[in-house]
Structure formats: structure tokens, C-alpha cells
Amino acid sequence: MKLYKKLFSRWTGVAMIATMGLFACQPEIDEPTLTTGSADFTTYVALGNSLTSGYADGALYREGQVNSYPEMMAMSMQKLGGAASFSTPLVPEGNGSGGATGKIELTGFNEKGRPMLTPTQNDPSVFASVAAGGPYQNLGVPGARSFHLLFDGYGNPSNLSTGLANPFFVRFATSANASVVADAAAQNPTFFTLWIGNNDVLGYATSGGDQGGDQITPKPLFEQAINGIVAGLDGASGGAIANIPNILGAPYFKAVAYNAFEFEPEEEALVTALNAGLRANASAGVRPLVEAGVRAEVRSQVVAGAIETIIRPAVVAGARANVTTEVTAGVRAGVIQQQLAGGATQAQAEAAADAYIASADGQADITTRVDAAMDSELVKAGIEAEIQTQLALPSTQALIESQTDQQMQSEAVQAIIETQLSSQLDALLANLTVSVGANPFIIATERSAEFPLGLRPATPDDLILLTASNYLGAEAAAGRPPLLPERFVLDPSEQAKVDAAVAEYNTVLQAAAGAKYAYVDMNGFFNQVLGGYTYQGVNYDARFILGGAFSLDGIHLTQRGYALAGNEFIKAINAKYNSKLPWIDVNNYKGITFP
């Protein structure tokens, strides 16, 4: 099964090429005359989330921290006599922690040359307090949203159970009641960088959009938070505020193609088994509907038969008897009246009436009159009403259900059910089966008129999350149908919400930078990277593992990626303050580490 074919085409020689890139001849960089311009880098603090902390490969670990962009920028500032005391709240050497596991490692390649990614063991010592070594100038807190930086008590262990604290801040907060912004302001910074806001929308995207339960921060709350952060840092004479990149361009959302569920010719048996499982799964939902439809038809026929063969004859016979009685009485009364008018006695008149009724002429007269009455609309309506009354009787309904049950068990009806079921499944599964070669993922969604099975094929407009590969691999290996829950997919409407939020946030961030602070267009820069970007002779793009800029979690950056981001800060700072901060030498840092 080729879940990764769309991600990685050929790996032969990749490790050698990547290793050579680490030791290739570095271009000489002519550094201009260094000057701070109008900026004051004496005390530099960096605020943000995981991107600021140096988080990479799915975890916060020491090597990532010491190669974070604030550390790189601080080294540039130190060449101008600034940021002398800059420090980061380092975690112990080792795997680090991303919450459940340590950092992800590329441990090798399988027999088909595809990469094997292995999460390392989580290191809980990451969360041991290092507050005594503070205050720290790198105030990047993984998982923080914009408004979290203003929370008093965001570093209070007692608030962890309520979600009002963050374990990554608890470990280095100056006090239980501190906020990130307060800890920054207390150091009287002369310069700050702020890169915050990704998590205000990222959680929604990485959890599958509307299905994930993680909500996008509303613009008013985001704007209030950003303005509050900037106001809290107003004592700094300068700073740089970065906007939010196009997060949906990251490998986490682009690495897995919509039709990356692939099978080799030798996996024909697995294809057959998966399709059988998919058909059985669909059948379980469709069969009751088909049976209900067939039963309704069978019951309708049973009811029609009961009416025509039992109920109607009985009701008509009863109605005719009643009409005959009434007509006979009417005819007799008419004859009596006629005889009395002719001078007969009452006894003679009654005898004459009885004789007429008993005669052939009398019976013919009565029959004619009864037939006419039975054909009247009034009597017909009465008959139909009585049929419905008889049909509604519990005894009649019980008989109908019993006969329907018997009919449903017949070979003829069961054959009809199977034929209809097969026909409906063929139609419903026309685009929902797998075959040798490339297949769109099959997404489990809500049942609707458009998707009666609650399934739909993925389209080129869907974004499949990176985590879908492992999930589907496990499902397929277990012989279960290849159904992808919505939490692994961003459909176009969900993508539009993400893009709209990023655009709104960036408007807020640019306004917050205003005339006082440098505005760093990370969105524009990473759009260049996504399309292919060359720096110091090295190519970068959005490919997973091979692109060079993104780490193994598909969202956070490699050391080189962070160096590129640091240079974007420096470019904006130099332009704003007429300073000459030296560029970060990107090639001095690592990309993906190959085994």
C-alpha cells in the first residue's frame, strides 16, 4: 500500500545529497559596516509561541532551542553590543517533549525507499522548573494563543487543570501570578520581537476544522489581545512584529495528496478485501432501508388483498343487507298506503303488501331499488368509511402484519431485496471503492441527500492532514474499510475560514506595528518559500522532508527555516531603524537530519 507515493517519489541518493549540503562550500558574505541605527538592542526580549521557542520535529528539545531564531538574532545584536544577557529557558539534553512523545526522528527508509518517522520517548523532565535561572529573554511558549500572553497566572501550576496555564510557561515563569507580557516588561526591554497568532487559527486547522472542536479566535478578541501585548511593551523604544504565514501551505496540509491511497498490483487481494469490507459496511446501513422499502410494498399489497378479498366483500354485504331492509320496508309501506287509499282495511292492506314483496315482481322492484341505492354516492362513501374502520381494528392489523412477515420470508421477496440492495450499493459505491493504483481517500461525513451513505470521495480541493497516513495505514493493515474521518480533512469551506482568519489577523498585526515598530511580512516571505526559494545557493520549498524549511512535524521549521525567518526580522528591522544588523548565515545551521 503506497500511502506515501505522492509525498516522496525517489529517495535514492537523498541522504547523501542532504549530507553533502551540510558541508558544501559556503559563499562568502560581505558584511556591511555594522550600526544600530536608531534602534537600541541593549535588552532584547522575544515573545511568541512555539515558533519563537525553537520548537521543531514535534517537540521542544534543547538543540532546537539553542538554534531558535531569537538566539540567532541575539547573536547578531551582540555583534553591535546588544542583547548581552539574552538567554533561553533550556530543557535538558535529550528527546524533549511535545506532550505525548519526544521529538520525531527520521530513522531510515523501508524496502521501497520511503522514509520511516519514529517519535522518540517523551521526557517529562522538560517540565521541571528552571525559573531560578531567569528571568529569560526568549519568552516563546509553545501552544500559546495571542490572548494567553496576557493571562495573569498563565504560569501557575494550579491553573493547569482548568486550562488557564501552560506547562511550557509554568517551567520558567517568574511567579505563579505572572503573565508572559508582564515577565517581558519587567526586564525593561529596549527592543522586542513579537511573532504570535498562528495558534489562534492553527488548532482549528490541525484538528480537522469544524469537526475538531478547536475554534478560531474571533477577530475582536485577537485585536484586543494584540493591542494589549503591544501596550504592555510600550516602554521599549523599538520592536518588530511579524505577521502570520499561510499556514495551509505547510507540509502538514500539503504532503498527503487527496488520491494518495495507493496499492501495488501485488496487493490485489488486499484491494478485494477492502472493497468487500467497504461494501459490507455500506450494506449494513443500506439493507435496513431497502428492507423497509420492500416491506412497505409487500404490506401495501397485503392490505390491498385483505380489503378486496375479505373486508370489502363483508362490508358491502352488510351495507346491502341494511339497504335491502330499508328498501323492503319502504316498498311495503308504499303498498299498504296504496291499498288503504283504495278502501282496503289495514289487515287487507298488510296482506297485500306482504304478498307483493314475496312475489317475483316485488323482489325485482326491491332489487332495482337496492341496486340504485348501493350505487349512490352516499352509500359508497359509507362503505369506504366502514372499510377503513375495519382496517384499523387491532385484529385486522395483527393479521396484516402476520401475513406481511410471512411474505417477507418468502424466497421471492428475499430475492427482490437482494436485487435492490445490490443495485443500490452499485450506484452508491460507484466512486467509493479502491483499486490497484491511486485512489481518492474515502471520507466519512454526515449523511445527507448528496451523501446517503455518509461517505464521499476526496477531491483535489480537499486538504488531507499529514496524520491521515498513519491512521489509514493502521486501518488498512487491520483489514478495515479505508474510511477517513472528517477530522483528518479540511474541505474548501474550512480552508476559507482559515484563510479569512489569517488575513484578518495580519491586518490587525500591521496596524499594531504602525509607525513605531518594524512590520515583518512572514506571510509574503513564506509564500516565496512555498513556491520555491533559493538562499546562499540552497533551494527551499514546501515539500515534506525534502523542502529543507520545515521540520519533521510538517508545521514547525528546521534550524535553517528558523534562520531564514530570523533574516526576515533582520531585514525589516534594518529597513525600519536604518540599522545594519548582520545577517544570519543560514548555511551554518542544519536542515533535516538523515540517518
Side-chain angles (χ1 to χ4, degrees), residues 244-515:
I244 302 169
N246 169 20
I247 64 173
L248 296 184
Y252 190 89
F253 304 100
K254 294 292 190 180
V256 182
Y258 82 98
N259 62 342
F261 202 60
E262 300 196 9
F263 297 90
E264 301 283 7
E266 61 269 22
E267 295 176 305
E268 183 69 45
L270 177 58
V271 168
T272 300
L274 289 176
N275 283 332
L278 181 61
R279 193 174 184 89
N281 185 71
S283 177
V286 175
R287 179 178 290 277
L289 301 178
V290 172
E291 289 180 342
V294 171
R295 184 180 182 84
E297 293 179 9
V298 169
R299 191 180 189 281
S300 178
Q301 294 174 8
V302 169
V303 168
I307 289 175
E308 297 306 319
T309 62
I310 300 174
I311 300 175
R312 184 178 295 279
V315 170
V316 169
R320 189 174 186 88
N322 291 335
V323 169
T324 298
T325 298
E326 293 177 3
V327 167
T328 300
V331 170
R332 188 174 186 277
V335 172
I336 291 173
Q337 186 65 30
Q338 185 180 20
Q339 290 295 317
L340 289 175
T345 64
Q346 182 69 36
Q348 291 172 334
E350 291 179 358
D354 291 339
Y356 177 75
I357 288 172
S359 70
D361 289 342
Q363 287 298 306
D365 183 20
I366 290 172
T367 298
T368 298
R369 292 171 183 261
V370 168
D371 288 344
M374 290 295 290
D375 198 42
S376 70
E377 295 300 323
L378 180 63
V379 172
K380 288 181 178 179
I383 289 174
E384 294 305 320
E386 182 61 21
I387 288 174
Q388 294 305 312
T389 298
Q390 293 297 316
L391 187 63
L393 292 175
S395 57
T396 306
Q397 290 296 309
L399 178 62
I400 288 172
E401 294 303 322
S402 175
Q403 291 186 1
T404 300
D405 289 342
Q406 292 179 18
Q407 291 290 327
M408 288 294 291
Q409 298 304 315
S410 69
E411 291 185 5
V413 171
Q414 286 297 309
I416 291 172
I417 290 173
E418 294 304 321
T419 299
Q420 290 190 11
L421 177 62
S422 179
S423 177
Q424 290 196 29
L425 288 175
D426 288 344
L428 292 170
L429 294 172
N431 297 315
L432 295 171
T433 55
V434 296
S435 60
V436 171
N439 301 273
F441 290 112
I442 300 173
I443 301 169
T445 186
E446 293 183 2
R447 293 180 183 271
S448 64
E450 185 178 6
F451 306 116
L453 290 179
L455 303 173
R456 70 174 180 87
T459 73
D461 294 327
D462 290 313
L463 293 182
I464 310 300
L465 307 190
L466 185 62
T467 47
S469 297
N470 289 338
Y471 174 85
L472 283 174
E475 292 293 287
R480 290 187 287 267
L483 306 181
L484 187 62
E486 283 273 17
R487 69 179 183 274
F488 293 104
V489 183
L490 283 180
D491 64 32
S493 67
E494 293 166 332
Q495 296 169 43
K497 292 179 182 179
V498 172
D499 290 338
V502 170
E504 288 181 341
Y505 293 171
N506 286 346
T507 299
V508 170
L509 291 163
Q510 186 169 18

Side-chain angles (χ1 to χ4, degrees), residues 27-33 583:
E28 294 184 4
I29 300 175
D30 295 326
E31 293 192 356
T33 302
W583 297 101

Side-chain angles (χ1 to χ4, degrees), residues 17-286:
I17 293 171
T19 304
M20 289 171 64
L22 295 178
F23 302 101
C25 295
Q26 308 297 316
E28 294 184 4
I29 300 175
D30 295 326
E31 293 192 356
T33 302
L34 304 182
T35 176
T36 61
S38 60
D40 183 353
F41 303 124
T42 302
T43 304
Y44 162 53
V45 295
L47 294 85
N49 48 42
S50 51
L51 295 171
T52 299
S53 71
Y55 195 104
D57 303 318
L60 184 70
Y61 61 102
R62 182 181 283 246
E63 185 180 357
Q65 288 182 292
V66 298
N67 293 290
S68 65
Y69 77 83
E71 283 279 353
M72 300 176 193
M73 290 181 64
M75 286 190 285
S76 290
M77 293 177 184
Q78 287 163 6
K79 294 179 181 179
L80 297 174
S85 61
F86 191 88
S87 63
T88 295
L90 297 176
V91 301
E93 293 282 1
N95 297 333
S97 176
T101 66
K103 63 181 178 180
I104 302 167
E105 293 181 343
L106 179 60
T107 53
F109 301 88
N110 64 18
E111 67 280 359
K112 294 182 179 180
R114 303 188 189 110
M116 296 183 292
L117 303 179
T118 305
T120 58
Q121 187 173 358
N122 184 54
D123 182 4
S125 69
V126 162
F127 299 102
S129 176
V130 292
Y136 296 98
Q137 290 71 54
N138 187 333
L139 295 157
V141 181
R145 295 192 180 207
S146 57
F147 51 87
H148 288 150
L149 302 191
L150 295 166
F151 274 9
D152 291 333
Y154 196 52
N156 189 336
S158 300
N159 292 337
L160 288 172
S161 61
T162 61
L164 297 177
N166 184 318
F168 287 105
F169 184 50
V170 169
R171 58 182 295 272
F172 70 90
T174 58
S175 70
N177 294 321
S179 72
V180 176
V181 171
D183 272 5
Q187 299 182 54
N188 297 314
T190 60
F191 199 89
F192 71 88
T193 56
L194 176 65
W195 195 7
I196 194 70
N198 291 58
N199 289 336
D200 289 80
V201 65
L202 182 63
Y204 171 85
T206 57
S207 62
D210 294 335
Q211 308 301 315
D214 200 322
Q215 300 302 309
I216 296 173
T217 301
K219 180 186 175 183
L221 177 57
F222 181 81
E223 186 169 23
Q224 180 182 9
I226 294 300
N227 290 340
I229 295 168
V230 174
L233 299 170
D234 189 56
S237 61
I241 299 175
N243 67 13
I244 302 169
N246 169 20
I247 64 173
L248 296 184
Y252 190 89
F253 304 100
K254 294 292 190 180
V256 182
Y258 82 98
N259 62 342
F261 202 60
E262 300 196 9
F263 297 90
E264 301 283 7
E266 61 269 22
E267 295 176 305
E268 183 69 45
L270 177 58
V271 168
T272 300
L274 289 176
N275 283 332
L278 181 61
R279 193 174 184 89
N281 185 71
S283 177
V286 175

